[in-house]
Amino acid sequence: METGSVSLVMLFGVFILFTSFLHWLASTEKIEPLTGRRWLHAGTGLLVAFTPWFIESAAFLFVIAFVFGLGTIAGKILRWPEWLNGNRKQSWGTLYFCLGVASALLLTWWPMPSRPWVFQAAILVMALADPAASWVGTRYSGSEGKKTLAGSAAFFVVAMAAITLSLL
């Protein structure tokens, strides 16, 4: 088996274990569904951000994002995984995540294969700043989904940190 394939299998295994762990936490009510969504968002984004270290082809990751996008649409139709949604209506956020990865690939790593850190910076912003904004915004507004200045500030701070760390 080629190194890229082994890496892909390992990354997929980590994703399955992480998702299963979050499912267990949510099903035993150790975490709220929104908390599970935030952790899944951040964890998946971190896995994607570090794929250039394991997979040399941006095209390969693009195919993976496409397959996950199709899986998201199928999951939406089948109402899976409900543990992520709790009592809220189902979200298209996972599909948007896949579209964000595909867009970042097309705009950064694909045209500049020698500079995957640009892709990593974009994904780290998406992976970490969005859940941070959600957590801070919900904490200070008292309601989920309401945009707040505190949440926007958290997004900005985390995004700047992610970009700065990517440049080091």
Side-chain angles (χ1 to χ4, degrees):
M1 197 181 245
E2 155 187 342
T3 305
S5 299
V6 171
S7 298
L8 177 63
V9 169
M10 289 174 58
L11 286 172
F12 188 70
V14 169
F15 175 77
I16 294 298
L17 287 173
F18 182 64
T19 304
S20 298
F21 179 67
L22 289 175
H23 177 262
W24 175 78
L25 288 174
S27 65
T28 58
E29 298 182 1
K30 294 185 185 329
I31 60 172
E32 296 289 324
L34 181 58
T35 302
R37 288 172 63 95
R38 289 175 184 144
W39 278 104
L40 183 61
H41 187 95
T44 303
L46 287 171
L47 280 174
V48 170
F50 292 104
T51 54
W53 291 2
F54 303 103
I55 298 171
E56 295 180 14
S57 171
F60 195 56
L61 187 56
F62 188 82
V63 169
I64 294 169
F66 181 76
V67 169
F68 270 89
L70 290 177
T72 298
I73 292 169
K76 178 87 168 162
I77 293 167
L78 299 172
R79 299 193 50 78
W80 180 90
E82 291 190 21
W83 66 270
L84 286 174
N85 295 308
N87 293 327
R88 22 177 304 173
K89 65 179 182 155
Q90 282 204 324
S91 165
W92 286 98
T94 308
L95 180 62
Y96 297 149
F97 188 93
C98 294
L99 291 173
V101 169
S103 298
L105 281 166
L106 290 173
L107 296 172
T108 61
W109 191 11
W110 205 311
M112 299 178 288
S114 63
R115 296 193 265 173
W117 59 269
V118 178
F119 168 76
Q120 290 174 318
I123 296 300
L124 286 173
V125 168
M126 181 178 70
L128 302 176
D130 189 44
S134 172
W135 180 76
V136 171
T138 301
R139 175 126 171 118
Y140 289 101
S141 75
S143 67
E144 178 187 335
K146 184 178 178 188
K147 306 297 180 199
T148 65
L149 184 58
S152 297
F155 186 98
F156 179 78
V157 168
V158 172
M160 289 296 106
I163 291 169
T164 301
L165 290 173
S166 296
L167 294 173
L168 297 178

